[in-house]
Amino acid sequence: MTARTASPAAEEITDADATDGRVTLPWKVVIVGLTLAGVLVAMNQIFFWNPGGLSLLRNAYLYYVLAAFLPIVFLVFPAARRQRGRPLPLYDIALAAVALVVCVFFGYNGENIVNLGWDYASPALGTVASFVLWALVLDALRRTAGLVVTIIALAFSLYPLVADVIPIGFLRGIPFDLRTAAQVHAMGADSIMGLPLQTAGSLLIGFLVFGVALQQTGGGRFFYDLAQSVFGRFRGGSAKVSVISSGFMGMMSGSAVSNVLTTGPMTIPAMKRSGFPGRYAAGVEATAATGGTITPPIMGAAAFLMVSFVGVPYAEVALAAAIPALLYFLGIFIQVDAFSAKTGLRGMRRDLLPRVGRVLFDGWPYLTALIGLIVLMVVSRNETQAPYFVIAFLLVVECTKFVLAGDVKRLPGMLFDFVYASGRTIAEIIGIIAGVGLIVGGLSMTGVSLSLARELVALVDGNLILILIAGAVTSFVLGMGMTVSAVYVFLAIVMAPALTELGINPIAAHLFVIYWATVSYITPPVALASFAAANIARTPPMATSLTAMRLGSVKYIIPFAFVLNPALVAQDSSVAEILYTAGFATAGVFFLGCAFEGWMTGVGRRLPMISRVLLVVSGLATLAPELLSSTLGLACSVLIMSVTRFYNAGGALDQPAEPVPAPAVHPEPGAQRP
């Protein structure tokens, strides 16, 4: 992406995987070895193998996880963008070696750290190692998440040094000298070793490997073909395929930008050939790709962090996120359908599309894997072990395919690529999460985190609407410069407790933060997902972002809806309340989608401007938490729909676009996060 069409942040996402010249085969072998060691350590901790009766304390285990994956960050991610694709420099090799040695040192002394209180009274070697780990984690964060979030993490990590002289009363806390601050950051239980890394070590590693396994074994191709076979023949079929397949791909990767770069080169040209304007096609792809980060059963990393902050099983988080995610994709789908009807676009020819039965028959392992994962999480209630069973199933099926095809020689290469891709993916997330832990540590060790929520509630005088607006704006602004995980961790300490103090359901409060942190992917001025899609479509990035904003408009509305009505996240409500609330919400999203696009689906007529405005108001009323307002909103919407049948702004275009063949290319199963 050139400087004329995107910001530097957006430019960075286009060449994130250009590491072939950097990571040569010998270094890939090193990365595979470190990955195997890290995953085996994680499995030992999760399955309680404890060979020879050797068990690891939690802090020792987390240090060994860092020892496996932190060096990979320095091997894979260059220190500067201009070094992408160049040979691995000696200083990055040295940093990787130092990271390995330091983390192993801390892991070996895990018991001493706990029993002898090294976080406050460490020997000289431990103090030196603390400073080194602090610096390494910050550099790893810079390489994986960017300079902005690193500066923020650095500021918070240094905050304890000046906590007693801050002029603002509620920001004044317990001060620390530099040496003690370094020791607490490196060896304390609330900073680098805090909740984010604890969650990554217990939950996230398994789910990340599962996502890679699903992609590497062909899951991306299966979900794209499935979407084609089901939706390709309907009007605007190419865009509907993009919505569904991008949702599935994002669900596997948890990364909006990675999803755009994986599926966009296939779906965007297909949409343009079908008659969609380039800006609209790019907007559809960016908006649908962003939805993957909030779609269960595999969501973005922030959803896993919720488990520790809220204290509920991941299955409950995934269940709570299900209805809002469906409403989000429904909003996009309705607008795509309305646009297709309004402009006379047809679907793709049935004879050129894959058959549903054949796709399901060929893709049974992927459906079995997803269903099996859900069953294991819900029935066994052991989400830490569940992904490993499903990973084993997928690998056994894939190996069997190679054997039956008589292609055993390619099997080692497939497994090697799978482990390498897993290591790179895990290392990126570990690099981000370890660095984000410094934010938590700076607030926790000073004691300020305990007072921020209370002061925030007092500042808005207990007004729920004001604090929701403040939370939305803060999440969005931080999301422009920080990863979703970093935004979530910060606001899970500051904003979410304030919302719960005002009576908001904890899961709804935390999901509210995640939703608003992800809108920055499609909202100017940053809009990384929109900019990436615009680069593929060769359209103006800002105009594409505005289109994506309209298509993803439900994402700006739904968080307020489920905060005010927890039935939408299956909380604090009976089954009957959840069902009728979801029904009203579905109707509300339907009418909002029609209003935003200017076409009344169901009666096949254009909407005059006055009808669009009234339909937005009645659609919002249908989404409102009170039963009376929802009923009145639904009645008004139906009335507007009926009137539109006879008093409208016209029908569809007279000349429908010709159907186009289905694209022959498929998503690359091994595409990784940027």
Side-chain angles (χ1 to χ4, degrees):
M1 187 178 298
T2 65
R4 296 191 308 273
T5 60
S7 66
E11 182 181 347
E12 190 171 327
I13 63 179
T14 62
D15 58 349
D17 285 320
T19 57
D20 291 342
R22 175 182 175 86
V23 185
T24 56
L25 182 60
W27 289 113
K28 284 188 176 182
V29 172
V30 171
I31 291 170
V32 166
L34 288 170
T35 302
L36 287 174
V39 172
L40 286 174
V41 168
M43 293 180 70
N44 173 70
Q45 196 77 358
I46 289 167
F47 288 96
F48 309 107
W49 290 339
N50 300 333
L54 178 65
S55 61
L56 295 175
L57 293 176
R58 184 174 65 180
N59 69 336
Y61 162 62
L62 294 177
Y63 284 125
Y64 288 133
V65 167
L66 277 181
F69 296 109
L70 197 59
I72 297 177
V73 173
F74 298 103
L75 295 177
V76 171
F77 298 93
R81 189 164 57 247
R82 65 178 180 274
Q83 295 175 349
R84 295 185 188 279
R86 296 182 181 180
L88 189 64
L90 288 177
Y91 60 80
D92 278 344
I93 297 172
L95 287 173
V98 171
L100 176 64
V101 171
V102 167
C103 292
V104 169
F105 166 78
F106 280 126
Y108 181 77
N109 288 285
E111 190 171 343
N112 291 330
I113 292 172
V114 174
N115 294 337
L116 303 180
W118 278 19
D119 50 341
Y120 283 92
S122 170
L125 186 56
T127 301
V128 172
S130 297
F131 278 103
V132 172
L133 182 61
W134 188 359
L136 288 171
V137 166
L138 282 170
D139 191 39
L141 181 63
R142 182 186 63 83
R143 293 172 185 240
T144 53
L147 183 60
V148 174
V149 66
T150 306
I151 292 173
I152 294 172
L154 175 62
F156 275 98
S157 65
L158 293 173
Y159 171 64
L161 305 181
V162 296
D164 59 332
V165 296
I166 298 292
I168 304 173
F170 65 86
L171 292 179
R172 195 174 297 124
I174 304 169
F176 285 76
D177 60 80
L178 183 61
R179 172 176 176 167
T180 307
Q183 292 170 179
V184 174
H185 278 312
M187 294 181 280
D190 294 319
S191 190
I192 296 173
M193 296 290 114
L195 280 178
L197 190 61
Q198 292 169 24
T199 304
S202 61
L203 266 178
L204 204 48
I205 290 177
F207 280 91
L208 289 174
V209 176
F210 170 64
V212 174
L214 207 55
Q215 293 184 64
Q216 289 279 334
T217 57
R221 180 181 296 111
F222 163 70
F223 288 120
Y224 179 79
D225 288 344
L226 182 62
Q228 270 198 318
S229 63
V230 176
F231 297 103
R233 69 181 185 275
F234 297 110
R235 63 189 182 198
S238 58
K240 293 174 180 177
V241 168
S242 173
V243 172
I244 303 302
S245 62
S246 294
F248 277 120
M249 285 295 295
M251 179 186 68
M252 289 188 288
S253 70
S255 170
V257 179
S258 175
N259 191 7
V260 171
L261 297 177
T262 302
T263 61
M266 169 188 51
T267 58
I268 291 174
M271 284 186 275
K272 291 174 70 175
R273 287 196 300 269
S274 298
F276 286 93
R279 184 176 63 183
Y280 197 92
V284 168
E285 174 61 34
T287 311
T290 303
T293 61
I294 54 169
T295 305
I298 313 170
M299 304 165 66
F304 292 91
L305 297 176
M306 270 185 65
V307 173
S308 295
F309 280 101
V310 183
V312 297
Y314 177 69
E316 188 171 343
V317 173
L319 177 63
I323 297 176
L326 288 174
L327 294 175
Y328 175 74
F329 281 104
L330 175 65
I332 307 171
F333 200 88
I334 293 300
Q335 290 185 74
V336 166
D337 183 73
F339 180 88
S340 303
K342 180 174 64 176
T343 54
L345 296 178
R346 295 181 181 177
M348 293 177 281
R349 285 169 44 189
R350 186 189 296 265
D351 61 309
L352 296 176
L353 295 172
R355 301 289 183 182
V356 178
R358 184 65 186 178
V359 172
L360 291 174
F361 178 80
D362 292 340
W364 68 268
Y366 315 112
L367 285 178
T368 303
L370 280 177
I371 295 171
L373 179 65
I374 295 169
V375 170
L376 286 171
M377 287 195 301
V378 174
V379 175
S380 70
R381 289 192 169 276
N382 194 340
E383 58 246 2
T384 58
Q385 297 180 359
Y388 293 99
F389 290 115
V390 184
I391 293 164
F393 165 76
L394 284 172
L395 291 180
V396 168
V397 170
E398 191 69 8
C399 291
T400 303
K401 287 181 181 179
F402 277 90
V403 172
L404 294 178
D407 202 9
V408 181
K409 291 183 178 179
R410 290 181 54 204
L411 187 56
M414 182 274 292
L415 294 174
F416 182 89
D417 291 340
F418 162 67
V419 177
Y420 173 74
S422 299
R424 179 190 170 104
T425 301
I426 298 170
E428 181 179 5
I429 297 299
I430 292 293
I432 293 172
I433 284 179
V436 167
L438 291 169
I439 299 175
V440 183
L443 292 172
S444 298
M445 71 172 71
T446 58
V448 170
S449 60
L450 301 175
S451 62
L452 283 176
R454 182 178 64 252
E455 296 293 338
L456 187 59
V457 172
L459 183 64
V460 299
D461 197 24
N463 189 303
L464 178 59
I465 300 300
L466 282 180
I467 201 169
L468 287 176
I469 294 173
V473 172
T474 304
S475 301
F476 168 67
V477 171
L478 291 177
M480 291 192 297
M482 300 169 64
T483 65
V484 174
S485 299
V487 175
Y488 170 71
V489 168
F490 177 69
L491 293 180
I493 299 172
V494 178
M495 183 65 62
L499 293 175
T500 55
E501 192 172 323
L502 291 175
I504 299 301
N505 177 272
I507 290 182
H510 285 258
L511 278 177
F512 179 87
V513 171
I514 291 177
Y515 263 71
W516 270 97
T518 59
V519 300
S520 62
Y521 283 124
I522 58 172
T523 311
V526 179
L528 290 181
S530 297
F531 282 21
N535 184 58
I536 296 171
R538 299 291 186 265
T539 55
M542 295 304 292
T544 301
S545 300
L546 293 175
T547 302
M549 279 183 66
R550 177 168 57 80
L551 288 165
S553 52
V554 170
K555 199 170 194 175
Y556 302 88
I557 299 169
I558 287 298
F560 289 95
F562 64 63
V563 161
L564 298 173
N565 190 354
L568 283 176
V569 287
Q571 298 293 309
D572 303 335
S573 308
S574 64
V575 174
E577 289 175 320
I578 294 171
L579 291 176
Y580 77 68
T581 300
F584 276 118
T586 300
V589 168
F590 170 80
F591 290 119
L592 286 172
C594 293
F596 291 140
E597 199 56 63
W599 177 267
M600 193 68 250
T601 300
V603 299
R605 292 291 184 271
R606 293 177 183 270
L607 285 163
M609 183 54 66
I610 183 64
S611 297
R612 294 176 69 175
V613 173
L614 292 174
L615 200 57
V616 168
V617 175
S618 61
L620 291 174
T622 308
L623 274 169
E626 295 85 6
L627 181 59
L628 177 60
S629 62
S630 298
T631 305
L632 290 175
L634 180 61
C636 291
S637 299
V638 172
L639 178 61
I640 295 169
M641 183 178 182
S642 302
V643 171
T644 302
R645 175 66 180 84
F646 304 101
Y647 302 95
N648 55 74
L653 295 178
D654 294 330
Q655 298 297 325
E658 291 298 321
V660 298
V665 293
H666 297 282
E668 289 297 328
Q672 294 306 306
R673 302 168 186 263

